[in-house]
């Protein structure tokens, strides 16, 4: 009977617990060895979105896995996705979680630059 209760540990974090884990994940990205790994991955990606997915995302996923596995999440990509879904579910309820989540995403997702408004082709796509 205890075995069937085990999966319930996943994503059974309160907003406060989720906030604490999120803070720990953000802190892990700031650790010197992880910051260096992320910088190397960024250098390899050269601001290319495809290469970001190839080089940066696996490093970011590994850093998150190392933290969240202590909180009942599986130590794989699925665990990171479940953690991300949990955080997303709290974003609308807690502005601090939303802010921290944005900060975390900014650490490994490239900024989405919008083209200047009205510049260049005057809004007509070049062919």
């Amino acid at each position: 009977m205890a075995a069937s209760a085990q999966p319930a540990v996943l994503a059974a974090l309160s907003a406060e617990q989720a906030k604490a884990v999120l803070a720990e994940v953000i802190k892990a990205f700031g650790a010197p060895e992880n910051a260096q790994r992320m910088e190397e991955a960024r250098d390899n990606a050269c601001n290319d979105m495809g290469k970001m997915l190839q080089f940066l995302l696996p490093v970011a996923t590994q850093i998150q896995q190392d933290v969240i596995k202590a909180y009942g999440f599986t130590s794989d990509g699925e665990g990171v996705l479940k953690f991300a879904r949990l955080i997303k579910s709290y974003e609308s309820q807690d502005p601090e979680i939303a802010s921290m989540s944005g900060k975390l995403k900014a650490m490994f997702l490239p900024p989405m630059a919008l083209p200047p408004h009205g510049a260049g082709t005057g809004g007509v796509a070049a062919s």
Side-chain angles (χ1 to χ4, degrees), residues 1-59:
M1 181 121 170
S4 65
Q6 190 62 24
V9 172
L10 293 173
L13 299 176
S14 69
E16 286 305 309
Q17 290 169 318
K19 195 183 300 183
V21 177
L22 190 54
E24 199 174 322
V25 169
I26 290 169
K27 185 178 174 188
F29 274 90
E33 66 277 8
N34 289 335
Q36 182 178 350
R37 289 171 59 199
M38 289 294 289
E39 191 58 39
E40 288 170 5
R42 249 185 228 100
D43 289 347
N44 288 333
C46 303
N47 280 337
D48 177 284
M49 183 55 91
K51 289 183 179 179
M52 288 277 187
L53 294 172
Q54 182 182 355
F55 295 113
L56 200 60
L57 203 54
V59 174

